[in-house]
């Protein structure tokens, strides 16, 4: 027996481990892709800012070049204007394929036609090696005079300034930034690492791209964050699945136990007296279902009635109540106008055969001098079919009580169009008596409504004498609650009826 118990526990532990471990690889993979996406999105944001700055810088150089070409060019003025410009390494004026003027060297005459595209000027951006310093590659911004490709400006950007436009040493998120124009790069021979995470971002205005590679630290931070979040999410989801599974298993087990309990007659009825507010004379009883399970002890009706409703055996449970009530009362002496209330769930009255079943037991109880009362909830009144059933029940001499009135959604127009015998006021409104509560005026309104509809009222959950006196003062006909009596088994009901009979005699 012990070996079997250990084996069962081992299987349960194994299933729990599988439940927790199965989602982890998938969610970790998802977390990894989310981390890569986050890294690349952040790099795109950085690249957009860098490209915007470089576009502005190149655009300003083009504007300056075109402005110079629109006017006569004098070397002395060119020299003075750009000699101390930190962004420009050197500017050349070109005419008919010959360098005529330099911002640094002044007037000159150097044939550069072979270095130009088809010997003519054009408007373009290039990465080139300096003639004087072949080891230095920098950006060349070339502009031709509109309509005259033989005249133009060559502007060589300061290499140091350009590299400052591509800073990565000041941003710990970046390992490298590379500017690429026509298959040439800056910095020259740049080694791009972490290519899996790198992004390439192209300028929409000029013919260049920026390639950004993240640093390992930045990659590690994102991977740690997203993988940890994925792991945490996996544990949360697994826990939710586990709790849901346990809840469903418990519900299924409870359903099977309930079916077994109905077969073995483990469920029984207790009866709570309903008394007159004027003299506490016994008016009747409400039958309440209870369940003592040999394995779990007493189980609350709030649990097993809901399970019965959701699983479709509420009809069987209601029939069980009627059958058990008859078993309890059939051996009793004939009563004098004693009322017995049975809670009838909404779904029970949807079937014609159920209504016939209810009528048969109403006839049986009537032969014992017991008036059967069907307690139904407000929500049954909202549907037209539910209202028709009330009329059918009353024609069969079954009294109708509207249960838990005040907490549902019954429209006043519905109440005016139906006939019923009792209005049961929910305990939550009775509890407000004697307390400074905003719900007390609601209670008074419900009582006033009951009087206007000319129906008897039963106050549920009366626990104090103050509540009882208040209800009697407002002419609420009947009361039910611990002040008068707790629910009692059928044996106690017999003794109670004998006492009432002796007092009457």
């Amino acid at each position: 027996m012990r070996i079997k118990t250990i084996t069962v526990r081992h299987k349960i532990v194994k299933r729990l481990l599988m439940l927790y471990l199965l989602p982890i690889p998938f969610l970790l993979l998802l977390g990894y892709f989310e981390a890569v996406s986050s890294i690349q999105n952040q790099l795109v944001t950085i690249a957009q800012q860098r490209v915007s700055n470089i576009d502005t810088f190149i655009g300003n150089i083009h504007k300056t070049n075109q402005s110079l070409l629109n006017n006569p060019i004098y070397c002395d003025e060119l020299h003075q204007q750009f000699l101390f410009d930190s962004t420009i390494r050197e500017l050349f004026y070109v005419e008919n394929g010959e360098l005529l003027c330099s911002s640094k060297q002044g007037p000159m005459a150097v044939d550069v036609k072979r270095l130009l595209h088809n010997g003519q000027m054009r408007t373009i951006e290039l990465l080139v090696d300096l003639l004087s310093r072949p080891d230095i590659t920098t950006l060349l911004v070339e502009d031709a005079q509109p309509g005259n490709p033989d005249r133009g400006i060559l502007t060589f950007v300061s290499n140091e300034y350009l590299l400052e436009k591509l800073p990565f040493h000041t941003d710990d998120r970046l390992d490298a930034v590379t500017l690429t124009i026509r298959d040439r790069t800056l910095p020259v021979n740049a080694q791009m690492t972490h290519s899996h995470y790198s992004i390439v971002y192209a300028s929409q205005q000029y013919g260049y791209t920026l390639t950004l590679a993240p640093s390992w630290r930045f990659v590690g931070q994102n991977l740690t964050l997203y993988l940890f979040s994925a792991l945490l999410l996996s544990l949360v989801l697994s826990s939710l699945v586990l709790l849901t599974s346990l809840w469903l298993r418990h519900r299924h087990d409870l359903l099977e136990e309930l079916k077994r309990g109905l077969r073995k007659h483990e469920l029984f009825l207790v009866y709570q007296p309903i008394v007159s507010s004027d003299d506490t004379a016994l008016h009747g009883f409400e039958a309440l279902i209870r369940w003592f399970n040999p394995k779990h002890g007493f189980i609350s009706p709030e649990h097993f009635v809901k399970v019965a409703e959701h699983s479709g055996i509420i009809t069987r449970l209601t029939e069980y109540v009627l059958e058990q009530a008859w078993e309890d009362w059939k051996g009793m002496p004939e009563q004098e106008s004693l009322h017995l209330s049975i809670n009838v769930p909404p779904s029970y009255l949807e079937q014609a055969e159920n209504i016939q079943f209810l009528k048969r037991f109403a006839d049986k109880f009537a032969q014992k001098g017991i008036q059967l009362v069907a307690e139904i909830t407000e929500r049954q009144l909202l549907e037209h079919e539910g209202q028709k059933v009330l009329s059918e029940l009353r024609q069969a001499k079954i009294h109708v009580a509207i249960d838990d009135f005040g907490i549902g959604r019954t429209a006043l127009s519905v109440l005016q169009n139906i006939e019923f015998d009792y209005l049961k006021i929910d305990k939550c409104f009775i509890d407000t008596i004697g307390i400074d509560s905003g719900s007390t005026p609601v209670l008074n309104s419900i009582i006033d409504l009951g009087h206007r509809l000319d129906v008897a009222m039963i106050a549920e959950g009366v626990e104090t004498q103050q509540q009882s006196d208040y209800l009697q003062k407002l002419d609420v006909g009947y009361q039910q609650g611990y002040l008068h009596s707790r629910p009692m088994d059928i044996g106690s009901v017999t003794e109670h009826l004998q006492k009432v009979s002796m007092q009457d005699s």
Side-chain angles (χ1 to χ4, degrees), residues 28 31 222-235:
L28 285 179
N222 278 270
L223 287 175
T224 300
L225 173 63
Y226 280 91
L227 292 180
F228 178 77
S229 299
L231 182 61
L232 184 61
L233 178 61
S234 173
L235 295 176

Side-chain angles (χ1 to χ4, degrees), residues 129-391:
D129 300 329
L130 296 178
L131 293 177
S132 58
R133 292 286 305 275
D135 57 318
I136 296 178
T137 300
T138 191
L139 174 66
L140 168 64
V141 180
E142 180 179 336
D143 279 281
Q145 186 178 32
N148 184 9
D150 292 326
R151 186 168 182 264
I153 298 289
L154 298 174
T155 300
F156 290 86
V157 177
S158 167
N159 180 268
E160 294 80 5
Y161 180 81
L162 185 59
L163 291 176
E164 288 179 3
K165 287 289 180 182
L166 310 172
F168 57 88
H169 53 278
T170 58
D171 192 332
D172 61 5
R173 294 173 295 179
L174 301 178
D175 182 66
V177 180
T178 301
L179 172 69
T180 302
I181 303 178
R182 298 178 181 273
D183 299 327
R184 297 206 60 179
T185 62
L186 190 72
V188 179
N189 300 322
Q191 298 295 319
M192 295 300 292
T193 57
H194 318 319
S195 58
H196 184 65
Y197 309 105
S198 301
I199 62 106
V200 178
Y201 194 87
S203 168
Q204 299 299 311
Q205 289 185 266
Y206 306 107
Y208 71 90
T209 61
L210 283 186
T211 303
L212 278 67
S215 65
W216 276 117
R217 178 185 178 188
F218 179 59
V219 171
Q221 288 174 341
N222 278 270
L223 287 175
T224 300
L225 173 63
Y226 280 91
L227 292 180
F228 178 77
S229 299
L231 182 61
L232 184 61
L233 178 61
S234 173
L235 295 176
V236 170
L237 291 177
S238 296
S239 298
L240 288 175
V241 171
L242 175 62
L243 292 175
T244 303
S245 174
L246 291 175
W247 179 77
L248 291 174
R249 176 68 180 271
H250 172 72
R251 182 172 165 181
H252 178 267
D253 291 345
L254 186 60
L255 174 60
E256 294 304 313
E257 289 285 345
L258 180 57
K259 290 178 180 178
R260 189 179 301 111
L262 289 171
R263 290 196 303 269
K264 294 185 176 182
H265 290 271
E266 295 173 358
L267 287 82
F268 59 95
L269 298 181
V270 294
Y271 302 89
Q272 186 169 34
I274 300 172
V275 301
S276 171
S277 293
D278 292 333
D279 55 8
T280 68
L282 181 65
H283 177 68
F285 294 91
E286 179 182 359
L288 303 169
I289 187 73
R290 296 292 184 264
W291 181 19
F292 181 81
N293 181 271
K295 185 186 301 183
H296 304 290
F298 280 102
I299 299 176
S300 171
E302 292 184 359
H303 296 314
F304 69 80
V305 171
K306 288 181 179 179
V307 168
E309 287 180 338
H310 294 147
S311 61
I313 65 168
I314 191 64
T315 295
R316 177 66 195 114
L317 182 61
T318 305
E319 291 175 348
Y320 182 94
V321 170
L322 289 166
E323 293 166 351
Q324 188 62 48
W326 175 244
E327 286 297 318
D328 288 343
W329 288 89
K330 68 179 182 180
M332 293 275 198
E334 187 173 335
Q335 306 298 316
E336 294 184 5
S337 301
L338 188 70
H339 287 66
L340 181 62
S341 296
I342 303 289
N343 287 283
V344 180
S347 60
Y348 186 79
L349 298 178
E350 294 175 357
Q351 303 297 326
E353 58 267 27
N354 294 342
I355 298 174
Q356 296 303 318
F357 190 87
L358 192 60
K359 289 179 180 180
R360 288 199 299 272
F361 275 89
D363 292 340
K364 289 183 178 182
F365 281 112
Q367 295 172 13
K368 301 289 294 184
I370 298 174
Q371 173 64 59
L372 189 65
V373 181
E375 293 194 7
I376 65 173
T377 57
E378 286 187 69
R379 54 179 167 158
Q380 289 171 264
L381 304 179
L382 296 177
E383 300 177 359
H384 180 67
E385 292 300 320
Q387 297 173 31
K388 288 174 57 178
V389 167
L390 295 190
S391 177

Side-chain angles (χ1 to χ4, degrees), residues 98-148:
E98 190 174 4
L99 294 180
L100 299 181
C101 184
S102 165
S103 61
K104 282 190 175 182
Q105 305 173 48
M108 56 192 312
V110 179
D111 187 356
V112 292
K113 185 174 291 187
R114 61 183 179 83
L115 301 177
L116 301 178
H117 181 69
N118 295 328
Q120 293 183 320
M121 298 292 293
R122 53 183 173 166
T123 298
I124 197 172
E125 307 83 33
L126 299 168
L127 285 176
V128 298
D129 300 329
L130 296 178
L131 293 177
S132 58
R133 292 286 305 275
D135 57 318
I136 296 178
T137 300
T138 191
L139 174 66
L140 168 64
V141 180
E142 180 179 336
D143 279 281
Q145 186 178 32
N148 184 9

Side-chain angles (χ1 to χ4, degrees), residues 408-421:
R409 299 180 291 119
T410 305
L412 296 181
S413 60
V414 173
L415 291 179
Q416 291 176 343
N417 295 330
I418 62 175
E419 293 183 359
F420 54 97
D421 303 281

